[in-house]
Amino acid sequence: LVYISSDSQNAVGKPLPLWLGLRVERFIPGAMLPLLLTSIAYLGDLLHQYLDGDIISDAKTFFAESCHAVWWRNYVVAPLAEEFVFRAAIIPILLHCLGPTKAIFLTPLFFGVAHIHHVIEQLHNGERHLTVCLGAAFRVLYTTLFGAYSAFLFLRTGHLFAPMLCHAFCNARGIPDLPSLPSHRYRFVLIPVYIVGAIAFFFLLFPLTDPIFMKSQFRTELGY
């Protein structure tokens, strides 16, 4: 990163903080619009929790636990450290060498594989090998998809805080409880809302992360 930040001869030289996504310009929209976009993707899940009557109690529990080290690890340290390593430190190098598309879809592979370590703990606890392997495969798939989304946000907003905030939000929400949908008493309301949230997310994915509006330092590399 120090090398490419000084590579002014090839017109790619940028100050090191810019490569890392550390900038003030358009900070508020760069942080809040991606969070809004991510919340839209969770629209069905949020309504699901509300209808189950858990959203208020869970919110109180969430903030009450902020005095514990595990809370800070899950919602502050992990998002900050992982986004810095897998987005800010890796993507600019791959972007410089491979271009934006490969950078977006290659870095999540490192991010996904980095979450396999849970297998060791599960096997040590005596869980069945098949269950552990299936869980690991799903975890790698889920984290890889999220990693691609985070990389997309990092490049298009030009802010490290955008994927970091969305990462913390997704850690707090977890995986939507889709298996309970078919038997839920409000399934005829929830299923359409899940679908609407997914469709709205894909329709708003590019407008809410417009690199020109965000004045992303990567907009030239993205072709804008």
Side-chain angles (χ1 to χ4, degrees), residues 119-130:
V119 169
I120 299 173
E121 181 182 355
Q122 290 174 307
L123 291 175
H124 181 73
N125 291 336
E127 295 186 34
R128 293 177 57 194
H129 284 66
L130 179 60

Side-chain angles (χ1 to χ4, degrees), residues 39-55 173 181 184 186-194:
S39 300
I40 290 171
Y42 275 88
L43 188 62
D45 186 59
L46 290 167
L47 179 62
H48 195 156
Q49 187 181 21
Y50 174 77
L51 292 176
D52 285 344
D54 298 331
I55 197 164
R173 294 303 310 163
L181 270 182
H184 200 283
Y186 295 116
R187 59 186 178 277
F188 296 113
V189 175
L190 284 172
I191 292 174
V193 173
Y194 270 99

